[in-house]
Amino acid sequence: MYTLFLVDDFILLEIDCAAEDFIWRPYVRAVNNSLPHVVCKEKDHWVLVDSGLCDEFEGLVRCLRMSELVSLEVDCIEQYLPNRVAMQFGMDQSLPGFVARVNGSSEIAWSNYTRPTGDTILYILARLFESDVTTRYLQWWDKL
């Protein structure tokens, strides 16, 4: 138990020390015709997600929504919870809530993951937007 406490303290110290130098959204630095150049523009904007979007953008949409991932090599289904690392997607970080597991079959998990991404509107933040934490998160952090 004592060792776990030291590890937690070490991790918190490392996070605090790296705060100024840590790049939360390294993918927005891409150039030319890459996905970040197409998606991460100078100003905030809305994007209608429909079947006409490029495969990379559809992949981004899948990266932003919670799902269950199926292992290709072993019979294993794991939750994918991007809300727990929201700042890496340019969103303000909050405390993650409970997400119930489906614990169904691999087929159910895969069909949920591959469900159509259309008929969705995404709000894409400006490329240079600096995400932060919510008040709820800040209150939790201050208690540590």
Side-chain angles (χ1 to χ4, degrees):
M1 186 72 157
Y2 181 72
T3 304
L4 181 60
F5 178 75
L6 289 176
V7 169
D8 287 346
D9 282 351
F10 176 74
I11 291 170
L12 292 174
L13 179 63
E14 288 296 314
I15 290 171
D16 284 342
C17 290
E20 295 301 317
D21 297 324
F22 189 80
I23 301 170
W24 283 103
R25 298 169 67 196
Y27 51 84
V28 300
R29 293 182 171 195
V31 292
N32 301 330
N33 290 326
S34 63
L35 179 65
H37 180 72
V38 173
V39 175
C40 301
K41 301 184 184 257
E42 297 303 315
K43 293 186 177 185
D44 302 358
H45 63 284
W46 292 93
V47 175
L48 173 62
V49 179
D50 61 16
S51 60
L53 293 175
C54 63
D55 290 340
E56 290 85 4
F57 194 86
E58 185 173 338
L60 175 64
V61 172
R62 291 187 195 286
C63 285
L64 293 175
R65 68 180 181 191
M66 292 180 284
S67 62
E68 289 185 315
L69 301 177
V70 179
S71 170
L72 298 176
E73 295 185 18
V74 295
D75 190 25
C76 179
I77 301 172
E78 290 291 331
Q79 284 186 310
Y80 173 67
L81 306 171
N83 59 315
R84 293 186 176 181
V85 291
M87 289 179 78
Q88 293 180 21
F89 294 107
M91 299 178 278
D92 288 343
Q93 183 70 49
S94 189
L95 291 178
F98 174 76
V99 178
R101 291 189 65 107
V102 174
N103 286 334
S105 67
S106 297
E107 291 79 19
I108 293 171
W110 182 250
S111 67
N112 183 47
Y113 176 77
T114 58
R115 73 187 185 276
T117 58
D119 299 329
T120 302
I121 299 176
L122 288 179
Y123 183 68
I124 307 291
L125 296 164
R127 182 175 65 85
L128 298 177
F129 174 80
E130 291 189 26
S131 53
D132 207 335
V133 296
T134 63
T135 303
R136 183 174 164 229
Y137 184 95
L138 189 57
Q139 291 168 345
W140 168 81
W141 184 263
D142 286 343
K143 291 179 184 177
L144 293 178

